[in-house]
Structure formats: structure tokens, C-alpha cells
Amino acid sequence: MDVSTLPDGFVTVKSRRKQRNQQQLLHGSTSESANKTSSKFLRRAPSQISGLDSPEEFASNIHEIHSSILRARSRILQECGPLFLSQLVMAFQRSFETHLNLPRPEEVVCFALGRFSVPSDWGFSCRLQLILLQDLTACFRVPVRIFDPAFSNLEENYLTSDYCGFSVIPTNEVNVSSIVNA
């Protein structure tokens, strides 16, 4: 994982594997694994890649969404081990301490989480990101503001419910928010 701090204090975290895959897809690679990855990627229809193949939500209320989040959490723990999420959260905490000399952020602002209530691989990926966001904010005990223009009303209701307690940003805040250091 690469962690970098921009001049304005904004911290970015990027997976090295994701960077390698992007480089291989952009520049081509002769490695067998890269060819398998790119050919698997290219065999999918564009609608499957974007997750828009089934825009209908699988849930009719926030309780059903929460049940799907709990199932996804259970799957993570089964496949990655019971300590996986807590170790990932601790890695984020160490990054804040190391790179910003802060014990925790003052708030979390999340942009482009994605449609976590759709029954596709894309929706499952968004649920996994939401689980990490929930665990991070539970650890740091900080407010969360979140925005994605694709969120449905049901997803916004879930995010602002007692299950998450996040604040949904009503419009895109391009260049409106600034990063505040302690």
C-alpha cells in the first residue's frame, strides 16, 4: 500500500497491486498473470464492468441493506480471517500517525463510494468499501460526510440511519471543502 500526503495535507492511499494492474493494462505486459487479468477484464461486457447491468436495488428497505452488509462482513471474515479488518484499520491508524503526526483524522469525507445496494459484483465491491469505512470511523470516532451522485434515496436513508450515522453531502463539493490539520 502506498500512502502519500499532498501539499494541502490530503492523504491518499493506493494499493500497489491496483497500480501494477493499471500500469500493465495501460502499457501492456508480457507477464502471464497480467495477460490473464487483462483478457478477463476485456471479455466482460461494458455493462458488467461498470456494474450497471442490474441497476435495480435488491433491497426494499434499510434493514435489508444492513443484512446484506452483515453477510458481506461475514464473508470477509471467513475468507480473510477474523483479524483482517482490525489489522487493516490499524494500518490506517499507523499511517495517520506516521505521515501526519496525528492520532486520527478530525473527520472523514468519502467521495464516490458507489451503489452498494445493487446485486452485482460492483455492488459487492462497494459494500466491502462501506464496511471498511464503517470500521475506520468506529475506530477513530469521527464524523463522516459522504457523497456520490449515484446514491439512491434508499442508500442515502441507510447511510444517515442509526446503522451508519453518516451525513450525506447533498451536492458535489468540488473545491469547497478544505483539509484541516490539527
Side-chain angles (χ1 to χ4, degrees):
M1 195 170 2
D2 286 335
V3 178
S4 60
T5 306
L6 301 176
D8 62 359
F10 190 76
V11 177
T12 60
V13 180
K14 202 170 209 182
S15 160
R16 287 189 183 126
R17 184 178 71 206
K18 186 174 184 177
Q19 286 176 324
R20 267 194 312 273
N21 289 344
Q22 288 172 345
Q23 295 256 341
Q24 290 166 345
L25 288 173
L26 289 175
H27 304 293
S29 174
T30 57
S31 79
E32 190 175 316
S33 64
N35 289 337
K36 285 181 185 176
T37 301
S38 61
S39 64
K40 207 185 300 181
F41 180 78
L42 294 174
R43 280 195 301 258
R44 292 183 177 176
S47 63
Q48 291 174 314
I49 295 168
S50 69
L52 298 176
D53 55 311
S54 183
E56 296 299 316
E57 293 168 325
F58 62 84
S60 60
N61 61 57
I62 63 172
H63 308 295
E64 290 176 7
I65 290 178
H66 189 66
S67 292
S68 74
I69 299 291
L70 293 176
R71 285 191 303 275
R73 179 181 294 278
S74 176
R75 185 171 164 193
I76 292 170
L77 297 176
Q78 286 175 346
E79 293 184 18
C80 300
L83 300 177
F84 175 75
L85 287 170
S86 60
Q87 290 173 341
L88 193 55
V89 169
M90 287 188 325
F92 273 93
Q93 190 170 20
R94 281 191 304 272
S95 294
F96 276 103
E97 292 169 355
T98 302
H99 297 285
L100 294 176
N101 296 320
L102 295 172
R104 63 182 177 80
E106 292 180 17
E107 76 172 334
V108 173
V109 181
C110 176
F111 293 102
L113 177 69
R115 295 289 314 274
F116 55 90
S117 73
V118 294
S120 64
D121 288 344
W122 186 265
F124 184 74
S125 174
C126 298
R127 286 189 290 282
L128 296 179
Q129 293 175 71
L130 178 58
I131 289 167
L132 178 59
L133 180 61
Q134 290 171 325
D135 285 10
L136 284 170
T137 56
C139 172
F140 294 137
R141 294 188 177 107
V142 295
V144 176
R145 295 185 311 128
I146 189 166
F147 175 78
D148 193 317
F151 285 152
S152 69
N153 288 336
L154 183 60
E155 289 168 325
E156 287 183 2
N157 290 340
Y158 177 76
L159 293 168
T160 58
S161 74
D162 289 340
Y163 289 123
C164 293
F166 300 164
S167 297
V168 174
I169 300 169
T171 58
N172 194 351
E173 292 187 334
V174 176
N175 298 322
V176 172
S177 294
S178 61
I179 305 302
V180 179
N181 289 329

